[in-house]
Amino acid sequence: MATQIEPATQTDEDAFRAEVQQFLADNFPAELKGQSNALAGVDGPTNETPAQTKWREAVGARGWGTPTWPKEYGGGGLTKAQAKIIDQEFAKAGAYNPIGGMGVMMFGPTLLEYGNEAQKQEHIPPICRGEIRWCQGYSEPNAGSDLANLQTFAEDKGDHYLVNGQKTWTSGGQWADKCFAIVRTDKSDKHKGISFMLIDMDTPGVEVRPITMISGTSPFCETFFTDVKVPKENLVGEEGQGWTIGKRLLQHERTNISGGGSLARLMGQSLGDIAKKYQPTGADGELADAVLRDKIADFEIRWNSFLLTARRAMEESKAAGGVSEISSVLKKLGTKLSQERSELLIEIRGLQGLGWEGDGFSDGELEAVRAWLFGKATTIYGGSTEIQNNIIAKRVLGMLDHQ
Amino acid sequence: MAVLNEEQEMLRDMAREWTVNESPVTEFRKVRASGEPEAFNRDAYATMAQMGWAGVIIPEEHGGSDFGFLSAGLVVEELGQTLTASPLVMNTVAASAIVLGGSDEQKAKWLPRLASGEAIATLAVDEGPSHDPAKIETSVSDGKLSGTKAFVHEAHGADLFVVAAKDGLYLVEKGDGVALTTRKLTDQRSHADVTFDGAAADKLASGGDSLLDDVLDRARVLTAAEMLGMAQQVFDDTLAYLKQRVQFNQVLASFQALQHRMADLFADLAQMRSAVEAGLQAVDGGFGVARAATIAKAEANRVMHTMANEGIQLHGGIGMTDEYDVGFYLKRARVLEASFGSSSWLKDRFSKLSGY
Ligand SMILES: Cc1cc2nc3c(=O)[nH]c(=O)nc-3n(C[C@H](O)[C@H](O)[C@H](O)COP(=O)(O)OP(=O)(O)OC[C@H]3O[C@@H](n4cnc5c(N)ncnc54)[C@H](O)[C@@H]3O)c2cc1C
């Protein structure tokens, strides 16, 4: 019989599905059913319950929270098809993925691409086990959209750098263990003077001050660095390569902001169904307010074609190897649409959709208000919509730099 | 671009090469100048049929290639890019009605001829200026069909009409009892009001209650594919123009206000492509067709509408001239936008399909 490589067959998939189901039966604590992952978000500290710890450790030990990452660094070493099966089975069981956060979404993939062997060995496995929280030290008071204008300076002191300066809008800075930061190592060149380094948040000289946001929470901080010693082995890539590495990370961030699980989950509930609970309906069960009905359909059609676009981009990028500049298109579209959805939700609910707190509002209603307010940030962070437009025009469409 | 198989890539490349070389917009200008109401070049259509394009969705046993709607859409998209005037879209839609609803006899009689280009068919549903398949007065008694269909696409070249009557779809051949009144629309293509006065009609009896909807969904996705090609072309032409036109000592492409409008259009075009391809694929997969086709045509309408307007605006005065092509795309765009579902009609349908 001739030997040949067999493509993954239906029976392989069925066997793997059964394995995941068994794993869930053995490890998923029933009391966690329907919960979401506190660690993945950046809007609260983790005070894990014993059940949550047990679940995180079980998933982390298998690497199934980062299913497609290499096994040698603690990932699952699985195929995309298998990762999808994990997603599906977890969802069916009402189980969340306990492994998340910026380490998973953006830092890990970037380090796998640019880190040296020792760095990967040190930092990737704890991400896969959900043990370490990372934060992003990019923005500064005078370096927002013009990120390369950053001034935080890392002075070469032989075996270490001495870092001085200020970062701001550092999401989760107050809860983070470590920070991936872009800092200046050379003042003579705007872009080539930037380096990418990893800073322990408990190093003496690091200080964080939370900032309160319009949604009432304090998910981000000002972060001050005063004579902070950073060992040389914490430099990722070469000195001066920080801009390239830092931008790569932003592509992962954008892909996550736009196409990520949170948007797909939102899609679960049709705005039309919600509207029927708040608004009068006609004889055939159709919304009586024809203008609102038209607005909802208009939105949902565009939302659908956005989801199709995110899926198409994923299929096309499979061959091309990961994230690309299409992430700018997805980020721009996805954030605008999710903001529109939040606004429509308020319009549908009237004043009942603007509650701040109290018994007169359901949890869902109150969460929607906070999400509406927080959602305003999505077109600002990760590169604002205007910056995505610049990227599309210049890098994708080849239009010239404006003066 | 959807991930294509080898056959589909070949088909698309062939269509691209042919349209660019043999059927650029100058060919459409010739058709227009000829003033013929049928408004297409018979020789060009014969060539298209020879290349197999008229039979892409027709089963092999009836002379087609049975490649499916995604494949047909690839060809139609290329034709849309150069505004190639042909009855290919309508012929394909009409053929699909016979594939879905025809008897063995009807299939054997018509499909091979429609695939080879020997005969041309079109679809006649609407009886007023706005798409409304719920409002049909045309009726049949004793095999004789009577009624008037408005703005039938490609009516002048058609040998066969697939006609919607109150109780289903019928095949009616041109000839006795069939009279055309030309309706010149802004796109300068073939449109006519068709009056059937006791014309011999042969019912498409298979295909079930949803036959008309199924056929219209095929019209929607293919029309959307034509619009996709048009939108792509307007975008490409506009971008190229902005890169070479100099004002204030710099190319227009260097102005951020214009860059951001192009970025918006680029993102819109990405959405349109996703929606249209998903619509075509849904027809091939036979699952969720009504919803996918509604989304496809609604997105095509929305994006094409803006694209055509922006195309003119960003070209400045030259965009207003008959000598420049961009205006042709605007005119064709509005005709297709109003056909087989305006945006408000499609949104109403989407709401109904979604249960609100
Ligand atoms: C909730 C939230 C969380 C965040 N988390 C983090 C984090 O964890 N780590 C981190 O490093 N940063 C974080 N940020 C910061 C974020 O990346 C910056 O806010 C963002 O880059 C914009 O910078 P800026 O706020 O200085 O605005 P500015 O750059 O001052 O922009 C102001 C306005 O001008 C527009 N604009 C700027 N430049 C141009 C241009 N060239 N052309 C056209 N328009 C332009 C912008 O689009 C915007 O509308 C976060 C921000 C928010 C809101």
Side-chain angles (χ1 to χ4, degrees):
Chain A
M1 221 176 90
T3 46
Q4 63 179 57
I5 300 166
E6 290 286 336
T9 60
Q10 197 56 45
T11 37
D12 290 341
E13 290 197 358
D14 289 347
F16 183 70
R17 193 177 292 280
E19 188 185 336
V20 177
Q21 286 165 350
Q22 189 58 49
F23 171 82
L24 281 160
D26 293 345
N27 294 286
F28 183 60
E31 61 185 281
L32 298 185
K33 199 168 165 167
Q35 278 192 11
S36 65
N37 175 16
L39 193 66
V42 287
D43 52 354
T46 31
N47 294 314
E48 280 183 340
T49 62
Q52 288 170 333
T53 306
K54 175 181 172 235
W55 176 233
R56 177 173 55 73
E57 288 177 353
V59 175
R62 290 254 186 155
W64 280 5
T66 47
T68 58
W69 293 15
K71 224 182 166 82
E72 61 206 285
Y73 304 119
L78 300 172
T79 63
K80 284 202 173 144
Q82 288 171 317
K84 200 165 165 187
I85 291 173
I86 292 183
D87 261 4
Q88 290 167 345
E89 291 306 319
F90 275 32
K92 247 190 259 166
Y96 62 91
N97 178 354
I99 312 296
M102 292 195 185
V104 172
M105 288 189 300
M106 37 190 137
F107 174 60
T110 310
L111 193 73
L112 283 169
E113 190 174 346
Y114 288 100
N116 61 33
E117 188 56 31
Q119 287 167 340
K120 288 192 247 184
Q121 292 289 359
E122 180 183 352
H123 298 296
I124 302 291
I127 294 176
C128 297
R129 294 193 300 264
E131 291 169 356
I132 292 287
R133 304 180 127 221
W134 285 89
C135 67
Q136 178 181 38
Y138 274 37
S139 304
E140 298 181 4
N142 287 315
S145 299
D146 186 9
L147 184 57
N149 189 42
L150 59 94
Q151 302 302 330
T152 296
F153 191 64
E155 191 187 348
D156 191 335
K157 290 284 187 184
D159 66 333
H160 68 272
Y161 294 101
L162 200 63
V163 177
N164 277 287
Q166 184 196 340
K167 294 290 174 184
T168 191
W169 315 128
T170 323
S171 294
Q174 66 271 55
W175 308 301
D177 304 295
K178 291 170 192 284
C179 174
F180 52 90
I182 45 178
V183 297
R184 186 156 295 288
T185 44
D186 178 354
K187 292 181 180 168
S188 68
D189 189 308
K190 187 173 178 182
H191 292 96
K192 293 196 190 107
I194 294 174
S195 298
F196 191 104
M197 56 183 67
L198 313 177
I199 304 176
D200 263 313
M201 292 299 278
D202 55 13
T203 320
V206 179
E207 194 199 332
V208 293
R209 290 185 204 150
I211 309 167
T212 304
M213 217 166 44
I214 54 174
S215 58
T217 54
S218 303
F220 52 23
C221 305
E222 293 178 287
T223 308
F224 299 90
F225 299 94
T226 314
D227 289 338
V228 174
K229 278 188 180 178
V230 178
K232 278 275 172 80
E233 56 264 30
N234 284 9
L235 176 74
V236 177
E238 307 284 320
E239 231 178 61
Q241 207 189 348
W243 187 242
T244 306
I245 301 173
K247 276 194 303 183
R248 186 69 174 157
L249 184 138
L250 286 175
Q251 290 188 339
H252 290 289
E253 178 175 5
R254 282 163 201 157
T255 306
N256 265 291
I257 293 171
S258 61
S262 56
L263 289 187
R265 241 178 290 128
L266 268 181
M267 191 54 201
Q269 210 180 0
S270 144
L271 280 179
D273 288 345
I274 298 175
K276 284 171 76 170
K277 296 198 191 104
Y278 289 83
Q279 295 278 337
T281 50
D284 295 331
E286 84 282 6
L287 289 169
D289 181 340
V291 176
L292 180 64
R293 180 170 176 264
D294 182 86
K295 268 195 196 174
I296 293 173
D298 186 83
F299 170 78
E300 295 213 320
I301 287 168
R302 286 179 294 122
W303 181 252
N304 267 285
S305 75
F306 167 72
L307 293 178
L308 291 167
T309 306
R311 191 196 304 163
R312 186 163 67 86
M314 246 162 63
E315 281 167 9
E316 288 168 16
S317 72
K318 251 190 236 163
V323 291
S324 68
E325 270 141 11
I326 194 72
S327 63
S328 290
V329 174
L330 295 180
K331 200 238 167 198
K332 160 191 164 73
L333 288 172
T335 53
K336 173 167 177 281
L337 285 165
S338 63
Q339 288 182 352
E340 264 188 65
R341 187 182 195 278
S342 284
E343 295 286 0
L344 259 175
L345 207 45
I346 289 171
E347 187 176 338
I348 286 166
R349 289 171 168 160
L351 291 175
Q352 189 68 20
L354 284 165
W356 187 250
E357 56 194 14
D359 292 340
F361 303 99
S362 70
D363 288 349
E365 286 165 351
L366 291 174
E367 277 164 24
V369 175
R370 305 300 172 118
W372 160 65
L373 290 167
F374 181 83
K376 298 299 179 199
T378 59
T379 48
I380 298 170
Y381 64 50
S384 70
T385 296
E386 290 73 19
I387 295 305
Q388 303 312 320
N389 283 340
N390 286 348
I391 292 173
I392 294 165
K394 287 177 204 161
R395 299 212 207 115
V396 183
L397 303 180
M399 298 174 88
L400 292 186
D401 248 326
H402 58 281
Q403 308 312 311
Chain B
M1 180 60 64
V3 179
L4 302 178
N5 66 30
E6 208 175 313
E7 274 163 359
Q8 287 165 336
E9 275 185 23
M10 276 172 56
L11 189 65
R12 186 202 50 205
D13 293 347
M14 186 167 79
R16 183 165 298 169
E17 202 183 309
W18 185 82
T19 49
V20 169
N21 294 322
E22 309 298 330
S23 182
V25 180
T26 45
E27 289 302 309
F28 171 66
R29 286 179 182 275
K30 285 182 201 161
V31 166
R32 181 180 68 150
S34 78
E36 293 290 339
E38 75 176 23
F40 71 99
N41 178 330
R42 289 254 166 197
D43 293 339
Y45 188 67
T47 307
M48 290 164 65
Q50 262 167 30
M51 292 188 284
W53 300 353
V56 175
I57 62 104
I58 293 175
E60 288 179 59
E61 74 223 71
H62 296 299
S65 63
D66 208 8
F67 283 173
F69 273 80
L70 181 61
S71 299
L74 293 171
V75 173
V76 168
E77 185 186 335
E78 297 301 327
L79 297 174
Q81 286 212 309
T82 61
L83 293 174
T84 299
S86 89
L88 190 84
V89 168
M90 295 317 298
N91 187 69
T92 304
V93 172
S96 78
I98 300 173
V99 172
L100 292 171
S103 64
D104 288 347
E105 222 171 282
Q106 287 166 327
K107 288 180 189 173
K109 178 174 177 194
W110 286 107
L111 293 179
R113 297 172 64 196
L114 298 181
S116 70
E118 184 193 326
I120 292 169
T122 191
L123 180 70
V125 176
D126 287 313
E127 301 183 357
S130 299
H131 178 60
D132 192 355
K135 225 170 77 190
I136 290 173
E137 298 296 329
T138 297
S139 61
V140 181
S141 68
D142 291 338
K144 304 283 180 205
L145 182 142
S146 294
T148 297
K149 296 294 178 182
F151 300 103
V152 175
H153 289 246
E154 309 300 339
H156 299 89
D159 305 293
L160 179 70
F161 295 85
V162 173
V163 186
K166 276 180 175 167
D167 67 330
L169 288 176
Y170 287 82
L171 299 179
V172 179
E173 292 184 50
K174 79 170 177 192
D176 285 350
V178 181
L180 272 56
T181 309
T182 298
R183 302 297 304 270
K184 270 241 176 276
L185 293 183
T186 184
D187 66 348
Q188 316 267 352
R189 295 276 298 268
S190 159
H191 303 278
D193 292 344
V194 183
T195 301
F196 300 94
D197 186 8
D202 190 13
K203 187 166 189 184
L204 293 173
S206 313
D209 290 345
S210 66
L211 181 61
L212 175 60
D213 282 340
D214 293 340
V215 173
L216 283 170
D217 280 330
R218 283 152 178 78
R220 289 177 192 119
V221 294
L222 279 188
T223 304
E226 181 176 343
M227 295 164 89
L228 176 61
M230 292 163 58
Q232 180 73 54
Q233 192 62 41
V234 172
F235 181 82
D236 291 348
D237 285 350
T238 305
L239 181 60
Y241 186 73
L242 293 178
K243 285 182 181 181
Q244 55 114 66
R245 166 80 174 162
V246 174
Q247 288 290 279
F248 303 99
N249 293 319
Q250 42 191 325
V251 289
L252 293 178
S254 67
F255 292 109
Q256 194 188 40
L258 305 187
Q259 291 180 342
H260 286 197
R261 280 160 79 168
M262 291 306 284
D264 278 344
L265 293 174
F266 182 71
D268 275 343
L269 192 55
Q271 293 229 86
M272 181 185 190
R273 180 171 293 285
S274 312
V276 172
E277 288 178 353
L280 293 161
Q281 282 168 324
V283 173
D284 287 334
F287 182 75
V289 177
R291 195 179 170 85
T294 305
I295 293 171
K297 180 69 171 31
E299 284 292 83
N301 280 3
R302 175 177 72 86
V303 178
M304 185 71 241
H305 189 98
T306 312
M307 189 70 79
N309 288 348
E310 289 286 80
I312 302 263
Q313 175 68 19
L314 295 176
H315 274 82
I318 208 167
M320 293 299 296
T321 63
D322 187 71
E323 193 188 328
Y324 231 73
D325 292 343
V326 63
F328 289 158
Y329 290 85
L330 170 69
K331 291 186 272 189
R332 179 69 173 161
R334 291 302 185 274
V335 170
L336 294 182
E337 190 181 323
S339 302
F340 311 117
S342 66
S343 295
S344 55
W345 188 90
L346 291 161
K347 284 187 267 181
D348 178 64
R349 184 177 195 230
F350 184 87
S351 308
K352 283 180 184 142
L353 290 169
S354 308
Y356 61 89

